[in-house]
């Protein structure tokens, strides 16, 4: 995986683990907020990296990229769909503003 993606991706995975261990009544909301924060920090790093490569012509081509395949393999299933949605937007040349990501 590209070096600039490793740290933010690891933070997402670590926060995912903390979320899984959070008790529903004790801190789960805070952990979920942190997960969302780390996920979108990763998406920002991913977007910056994505702009440095030749843009794939389709989502299928993007999903075939080695770095994307590695991310897809390691990403927890509930986070895969939001990741794929963000990837699809990047392939289409659409970049969301930060506040749009939380709607």
């Amino acid at each position: 995986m590209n070096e600039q993606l490793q740290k933010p991706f690891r933070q997402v995975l670590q926060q995912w683990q903390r979320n899984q261990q959070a008790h529903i009544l004790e801190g789960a909301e805070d952990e979920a907020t942190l997960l969302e924060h780390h996920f979108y920090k990763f998406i920002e790093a991913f977007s910056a990296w994505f702009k440095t490569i030749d843009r794939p012509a389709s989502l299928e081509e993007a999903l075939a990229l080695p770095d994307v395949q590695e991310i897809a393999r390691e990403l927890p299933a509930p986070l895969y769909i939001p990741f794929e949605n963000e990837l699809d937007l990047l392939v289409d040349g659409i970049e969301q503003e930060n506040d749009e990501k939380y709607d």
Side-chain angles (χ1 to χ4, degrees):
M1 179 183 311
N2 181 281
E3 190 175 308
Q4 75 185 59
L5 299 178
Q6 288 179 0
K7 182 179 178 183
F9 187 65
R10 294 290 161 229
Q11 288 175 326
V12 168
L13 296 180
Q14 289 169 355
Q15 188 58 45
W16 175 259
Q17 288 300 319
R18 285 192 292 271
N19 270 38
Q20 300 311 298
Q21 297 168 0
H23 187 276
I24 191 76
L25 298 176
E26 296 176 16
E29 184 177 347
D30 292 339
E31 295 297 332
T33 299
L34 282 171
L35 176 61
E36 182 177 47
H37 170 78
H38 287 300
F39 179 78
Y40 283 111
K41 284 292 188 186
F42 164 68
I43 292 299
E44 287 174 10
F46 183 84
S47 178
W49 168 79
F50 194 82
K51 291 176 186 175
T52 68
I53 65 171
D54 291 332
R55 188 184 322 170
S58 67
L59 177 61
E60 290 74 25
E61 284 183 23
L63 289 169
L65 295 170
D67 285 333
V68 174
Q69 288 182 342
E70 184 177 349
I71 291 165
R73 272 193 309 274
E74 293 185 41
L75 200 60
L79 298 179
Y80 179 79
I81 291 176
F83 171 73
E84 187 177 291
N85 289 340
E86 295 288 340
L87 179 59
D88 196 20
L89 290 171
L90 289 170
V91 168
D92 290 341
I94 300 168
E95 189 170 343
Q96 298 186 79
E97 294 296 323
N98 283 344
D99 60 336
E100 291 176 333
K101 294 176 183 177
Y102 294 98
D103 291 340

